[in-house]
């Protein structure tokens, strides 16, 4: 079994020496070979399943066996025969490649997956990844996985699954804090679990062009001599993780699964695979006794009564299909003909092998689970049904004649299968009664269903299949119970309905009109399908919209005697009312407003009378009406119950869904609403816990949808669980959904009563929410009010971010000032952006901030520039992009006023030049070096420390700026300063002397406040200026050229803060971080130090008071180590570059809030230079909850930075590490501190003595000398200099791969 790789090896080959079917079983439990990898734990601790995707907890029957590739490959191995092969990899190993930027399990670049990397060969090649040998799969077995396809020619876009994965790792919600990954729902198949999606990918919304480079993906299952294709796709591919779920069917004996990727010969492409899970695959285990009513199989397993004689091997030895009862059933598997079902028109026998090359064609039959098996498919024209008729049966009352059948609907939302009952009374044949209707896309699976018939008259059963464009409708395994007794045959054709053939009778139910198929005929209009249910009336009577809320044939899972509704072209819709456009559905009409059940498992949605529901006993209005309820069903596949609307929309930005619901489930059920657009699924609402038996009301903002969509309620309950379990929906209303319904609303908003003119967008499954102040979340307006929050864990979201938009607005002036307050907090916070959209123009970025900005609210402003004399409307957009799951974003108190804004207090140049002008000469330019082709300037900016970041730069070469000439950069006006302030900025000078950088403040007159004239280097340096200004003022940067070739001056990250400027590398953290850089360091996990105070509510533990003030109002730097998880991750807090020093003293106060009996967190001081890092001080977490002083004497022969590193000394636990009152005394040696009152432990410097007595020092010295001589004889370690007089320098460092190994003698652990 693989362990985590060393830092120098970030990709691990999947090739293993063991055979693919081998799994280690300890000697104390010698499971037979057939019990290894059979999805059942036969040994304590489940070692027999360790190489089969076993995820670590003793699974019950039906629990997933999942492989997330975080620890090892779970037995999957590469069997490729070319250079294009699979390996275990993670995103951090190749950050610039075309592969995924994060894994699917954790949602970060630290997570692992299997990858078939880019292959540079010139021929097509296939990479194949094979599972270990598995044994026995139950008929309910499903294989789910997430795959990612990317191309070297088309970069990844902001694309992500639109819901939480079905199982992930099976971890509970609390697992996120331990692993650093995204939170999981406790159910395993958590909220957001969509339809099974068999044979096709689900759950994506992508913004970006399709990728190329991968020709085909294929999933195959090999058992015996046959290889079944479970799924195959040739694209088109889109960036992002996509889910695939396929049923395996019943597999007897050994089998293996292979996932293969075939690359194009001319394009680079990368494929990744993650979270492979087998669901409900284990056969039932032997039991001494079965529950009451269950069948005891010959192998002692127990199965439920409805599983007898259903055409599937549920016992595992087929004894449930070979009982005496089953011998009286009549089964037709179409292997040798039509059997009793010999009246057929429009159906044809076929098989997968040798069948048509149709993308929706079944890959196997149901009877044999083989490509060689036979089944029926509808071959009639899409406009006419295919009819299959049973023989005439004798009256069955008072007993049931039961028909179990398996059906296949794939490839078209218009496909339909209906089951009719035709009785023959003494007066002649009666009208056909609809028993069951299945409609739409059910995926590449054979789905079980059953109808029970009690008839006092002879009857026939008709199955009518109608294909939609590109769709396939199939039938297999029709099983009639023993009470379905055919009437003895008579010569001649059957009388009545069947004399002219049943097809003509059923076809006569469809009226003739002048419109094309699929169009609605109303008056003299033919309304095309795309204009039906689009919230805009086309027909004079509103028929095109009325069916969306009132009239659509409803067929639940239960037997109903309702005749089928006539098509829309013949229905009388009644007078048009606004309620019809609104789409109100109270479920009192049998049509149920067009909502249609699409379940395939043991649960379904049924229109139910309130008196039959048990609880709540009434409908939402309090009357004895009807509502939609989750009930039992006959399906054998995914457990969730699904019900969908017809296709709706597009919709306008104010579109809302109002509903009433009740939900009782303990402990693992859920009820949710999903928006389905094509193959993408967006979770927009879920029930917030049990409703205690009563009805609740809620409103969901659906917003603007530019493509047609469907609404889907998904419910999961354990109806056999303890207590009353139930879920229901009633009084569903769609309001203000017309795209023409647009009303301007006020942008200015404090969110106390509503969201005003703001609404959520639909970028991914993450959403902004208006929330009330509670716990660690507090608003800016009052501290107790409402604000807008983006939290990627509530509910858990995998998408990269969310949008918050305004309604279209008309400009009030040529320039407007938008002000707002933002809050970015957490060790893994992403980016918050502000942009403006105007019709016909590209989106314009106005402002952005990245990473944590401390646990406090900050004010920001942006000037909105509008074209002169233009009434074109515009939209504002806040986009929050997450960088993990340990960080939140919030907005409050948005305001807009006419006129420009004052100059911003902070500028990173990421989105604009922040209003800086160049004095008309245009010598300063805003640029990034993303292409690496910039003629001048630093290779990376200071804000992001990447080539994609922006900065301002001026070319100082003689051709651009002759010697002595000046290039000016002038800010907008700043508001007067009420108190002394500090202006800081980061500058970068070329290695060749560029000249002089001068800083002026222009108030009534221009005065110089700083001049920098030094040689450059490779690092950004911090400049600071103390300011006082009683009137409006500007800052002017002047670059005076020295006439040197290839020279430049660059500026980045300007910040104006109250109070005087601190000394270099010194900070009391009252106003901020004072130039200490908390940007996540590559390879350490992407976590940041933060900034907070004891008085500020926080979701993370923190000291109650600071050290500077000794009160809860004081501030400090903070890091929560509990988010790190194992694996050597750390967070760095880095000083500005400091000049070389022979001896300088660093003093600081630290606080470590860990339990005394645990050794968890660790704080170290590193010196970092171009030559590497050296640890000069360290302490562990065995400390009490108090502020302690630390000091260390540092020395370096070259420019360096001081780094505070927070890391783990053991397993993760909630516990903060805090810093305060950092003081760097340049050129001064440290003095031994005097312990202050209450401080019981003082960290001393590295040059100081470690022990407390002379005897201990002598003993340590003797031991050290002896150990040194022994090591010198061994030749294993270099010699380290004395540490009691001279601070260590960079000559003493040891390198190992990409990390530093430090002898214990250089650390001081209190």
């Amino acid at each position: 079994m693989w362990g985590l790789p060393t830092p120098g090896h970030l990709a691990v080959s999947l090739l293993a020496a063991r055979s693919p079917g081998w799994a280690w079983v300890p000697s104390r439990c010698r499971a037979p070979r057939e019990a290894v990898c059979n999805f059942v734990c036969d040994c304590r601790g489940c070692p027999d399943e360790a190489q089969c995707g076993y995820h670590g907890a003793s699974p019950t029957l039906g629990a997933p066996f999942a492989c997330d590739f975080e620890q090892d490959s779970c037995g999957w191995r590469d069997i490729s025969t070319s250079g294009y092969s699979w390996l275990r990899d993670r995103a951090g190993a190749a950050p610039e490649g075309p592969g995924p930027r994060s894994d699917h399990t954790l949602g970060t670049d630290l997570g692992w997956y299997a990858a078939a990397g880019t292959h540079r060969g010139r021929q097509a090649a296939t990479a194949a990844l094979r599972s270990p040998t598995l044994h026995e799969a139950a008929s309910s077995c499903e294989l789910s996985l997430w795959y990612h396809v990317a191309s070297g020619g088309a970069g990844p876009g902001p694309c992500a699954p639109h819901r939480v994965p079905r199982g992930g790792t099976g971890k509970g919600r609390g697992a996120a804090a331990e692993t650093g990954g995204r939170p999981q729902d406790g159910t395993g198949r958590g909220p957001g679990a969509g339809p099974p999606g068999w044979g096709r990918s689900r759950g994506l919304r992508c913004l970006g062009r399709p990728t190329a480079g991968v020709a085909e993906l294929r999933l195959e299952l090999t058992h015996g001599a046959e290889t079944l294709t479970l799924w195959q796709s040739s694209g088109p591919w889109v960036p992002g993780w996509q889910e695939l779920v396929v049923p395996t069917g019943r597999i007897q004996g050994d089998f293996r699964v292979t996932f293969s990727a075939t690359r194009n010969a001319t394009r680079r492409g990368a494929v990744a695979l993650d979270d492979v899970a087998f669901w409900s695959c284990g056969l039932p285990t032997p039991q001494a006794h079965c529950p009451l009513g269950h069948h005891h199989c010959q192998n002692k397993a127990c199965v439920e009564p409805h599983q007898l004689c259903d055409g599937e091997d549920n016992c595992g030895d087929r004894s449930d299909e070979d009982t005496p009862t089953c011998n009286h059933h009549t089964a037709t598997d179409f292997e040798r003909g039509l059997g009793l079902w010999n009246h057929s028109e429009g159906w044809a026998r076929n098989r997968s092998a040798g069948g048509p090359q149709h993308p929706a064609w079944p890959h196997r039959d149901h009877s044999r689970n083989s490509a060689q098996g036979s089944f029926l498919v509808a071959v009639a024209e899409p406009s006419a049904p295919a009819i299959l008729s049973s023989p005439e049966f004798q009256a069955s009352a008072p007993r049931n004649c039961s028909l179990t059948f398996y059906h296949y609907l794939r490839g078209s939302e218009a496909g339909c299968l209906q089951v009719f009952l035709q009785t023959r009374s003494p007066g002649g044949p009666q009208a056909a009664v609809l028993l069951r209707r299945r409609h739409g896309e059910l995926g590449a699976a054979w789905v079980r269903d059953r109808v029970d018939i009690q008839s006092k008259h002879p009857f026939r059963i008709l199955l009518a299949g109608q294909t939609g464009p590109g769709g396939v409708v199939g039938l297999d395994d029709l099983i009639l119970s023993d009470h379905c007794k055919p009437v003895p045959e008579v010569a001649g054709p059957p009388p009545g309905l069947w004399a002219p053939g049943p097809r003509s009778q059923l076809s006569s139910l469809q009226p003739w009109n002048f419109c094309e198929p699929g169009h609605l005929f109303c008056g003299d209009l033919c309304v095309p399908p795309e204009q039906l249910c689009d919230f805009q009336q086309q027909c004079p009577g509103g028929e095109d919209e009325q069916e969306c809320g009132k009239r659509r044939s409803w067929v639940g899972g239960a037997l109903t005697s309702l005749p089928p509704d006539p098509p829309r072209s013949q229905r009388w819709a009644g007078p048009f009312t606004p309620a019809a456009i609104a789409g109100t559905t109270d479920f009192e009409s049998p049509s149920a407003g067009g909502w249609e059940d699409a379940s395939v498992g043991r649960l379904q949605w049924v229109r139910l009378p309130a008196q039959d529901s048990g609880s709540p006993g009434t409908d939402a209005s309090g009357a004895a009406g009807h509502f939609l309820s989750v009930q039992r069903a006959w399906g054998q596949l995914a457990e969730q119950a699904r019900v969908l609307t017809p296709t709706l929309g597009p919709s306008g930005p104010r579109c809302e869904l109002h509903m009433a619901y009740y939900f009782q489930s303990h402990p693992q059920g859920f009820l949710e609403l999903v928006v389905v657009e094509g193959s993408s699924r967006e979770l927009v609402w879920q029930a917030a816990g049990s409703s205690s038996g009563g009805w609740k009301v809620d409103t969901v903002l659906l917003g603007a949808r530019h493509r047609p969509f469907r609404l889907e309620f998904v419910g999961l309950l354990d109806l056999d669980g303890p207590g009353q379990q139930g879920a229901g929906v009633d009084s569903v209303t769609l309001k203000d959904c017309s795209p023409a319904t647009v009303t301007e609303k006020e942008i200015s908003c404090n969110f106390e009563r509503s969201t005003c003119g703001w609404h959520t967008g639909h970028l991914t499954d993450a959403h902004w929410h208006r929330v009330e102040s509670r716990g660690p979340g507090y608003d800016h307006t009052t501290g107790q009010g409402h604000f807008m929050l983006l939290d990627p864990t509530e509910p858990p979201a995998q998408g990269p971010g969310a949008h918050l938009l305004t309604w279209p607005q008309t400009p009030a002036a040529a320039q407007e000032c938008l002000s707002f307050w933002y809050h970015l907090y957490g060790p893994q916070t992403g980016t918050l952006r502000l942009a403006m959209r105007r019709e016909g123009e590209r989106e314009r970025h106005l402002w952005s901030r990245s990473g944590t900005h401390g646990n406090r609210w900050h004010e920001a402003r942006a000037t909105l520039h509008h074209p002169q004399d233009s009434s074109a409307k515009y939209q504002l957009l806040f986009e929050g992009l997450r960088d993990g799951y340990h960080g939140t974003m919030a907005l409050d108190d948005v305001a807009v006023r006419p006129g420009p804004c004052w100059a911003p207090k902070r500028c990173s140049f990421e989105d604009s030049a922040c209003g800086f002008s160049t004095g008309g000469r245009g010598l300063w330019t805003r640029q990034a070096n993303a292409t690496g082709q910039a003629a001048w300037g630093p290779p990376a900016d200071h804000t992001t420390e990447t080539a994609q970041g922006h900065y301002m730069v001026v070319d100082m070469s003689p051709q651009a700026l002759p010697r002595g000439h000046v290039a000016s950069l002038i800010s907008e006006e700043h508001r007067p300063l009420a108190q002394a302030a500090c202006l800081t900025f980061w500058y970068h000078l070329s290695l060749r002397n560029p000249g002089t950088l001068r800083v002026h403040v222009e108030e009534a007159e221009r005065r110089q406040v700083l001049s920098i004239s030094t040689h450059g280097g490779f690092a950004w340096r911090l400049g600071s200026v103390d300011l006082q200004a009683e009137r409006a003022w500007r800052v002017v940067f002047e670059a005076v050229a020295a006439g040197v070739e290839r020279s430049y001056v660059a500026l980045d990250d300007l910040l104006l803060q109250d109070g005087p400027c601190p000394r270099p590398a010194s900070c009391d953290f009252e106003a901020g971080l004072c130039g200490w850089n908390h940007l996540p360091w590559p390879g350490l996990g992407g976590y940041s130090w933060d900034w907070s105070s004891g008085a500020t509510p926080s979701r993370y533990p923190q000291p109650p008071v600071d050290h500077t003030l000794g009160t809860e109002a004081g501030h400090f730097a903070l890091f929560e180590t509990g988010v790190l998880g194992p694996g050597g991750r750390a967070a760095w807090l880095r000083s500005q570059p400091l000049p070389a020093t022979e001896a300088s003293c660093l003093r600081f106060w630290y606080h470590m809030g860990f339990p005394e009996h645990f050794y968890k967190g660790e704080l170290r001081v590193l010196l970092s230079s171009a030559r590497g890092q050296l640890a000069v001080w360290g302490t562990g977490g065995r400390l009490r909850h108090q502020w302690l002083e630390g000091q260390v004497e540092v020395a370096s022969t070259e420019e360096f930075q001081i780094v505070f590193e927070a890391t783990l000394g053991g397993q993760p636990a909630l516990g903060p590490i805090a810093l305060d009152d950092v003081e760097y005394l340049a050129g001064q040696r440290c003095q031994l501190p005097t312990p202050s009152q209450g401080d019981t432990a003082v960290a001393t410097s590295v040059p100081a003595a470690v022990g407390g007595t002379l005897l201990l020092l002598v003993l340590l010295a003797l031991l050290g000398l002896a150990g040194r001589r022994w090591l010198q004889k061994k030749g294993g370690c270099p010699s380290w200099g004395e540490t009691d007089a001279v601070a260590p320098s960079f000559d003493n460092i040891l390198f190992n791969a990409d990390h530093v190994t430090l002898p214990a003698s250089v650390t001081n652990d209190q």
Side-chain angles (χ1 to χ4, degrees), residues 76 86 127-131 145-148 217-220 231 244 257-261 271-273:
W76 290 77
W86 290 89
L129 183 67
R130 176 171 289 175
S131 74
L145 57 88
W146 290 82
Y147 67 93
H148 184 288
L217 296 181
R218 185 181 292 265
L219 184 66
E220 297 175 316
W231 172 80
L244 172 68
V257 176
T258 304
F259 188 85
S260 59
V271 181
L273 183 68

Side-chain angles (χ1 to χ4, degrees), residues 10 18 264 291 305 530 532 933 957-958 974 1007 1188 1194 1207 1267:
L10 296 179
R18 61 175 64 98
N264 290 325
E530 62 269 17
L532 304 179
Q933 305 298 318
S957 59
H974 287 265
R1007 69 180 189 276
L1188 300 173
V1194 298
T1207 185

Side-chain angles (χ1 to χ4, degrees), residues 530-579:
E530 62 269 17
Q531 293 183 0
L532 304 179
C533 301
D534 65 351
F535 308 112
Q536 299 185 73
Q537 178 185 349
Q538 310 293 333
C539 297
E543 296 92 335
D544 57 317
E545 301 299 320
Q546 194 167 26
E547 183 174 331
C548 311
K550 291 292 185 184
R551 297 287 296 167
R552 168 70 71 139
S553 60
W554 164 255
V555 181
L559 173 64
T560 175
S561 60
L562 296 172
D565 285 358
R568 287 194 277 198
S569 53
Q570 270 200 342
R571 295 176 191 163
W572 176 77
F576 170 75
T577 63

Side-chain angles (χ1 to χ4, degrees), residues 1274-1288:
K1274 291 289 184 179
C1277 293
S1279 175
W1280 283 72
E1282 298 293 334
T1283 62
D1284 57 350
V1286 180

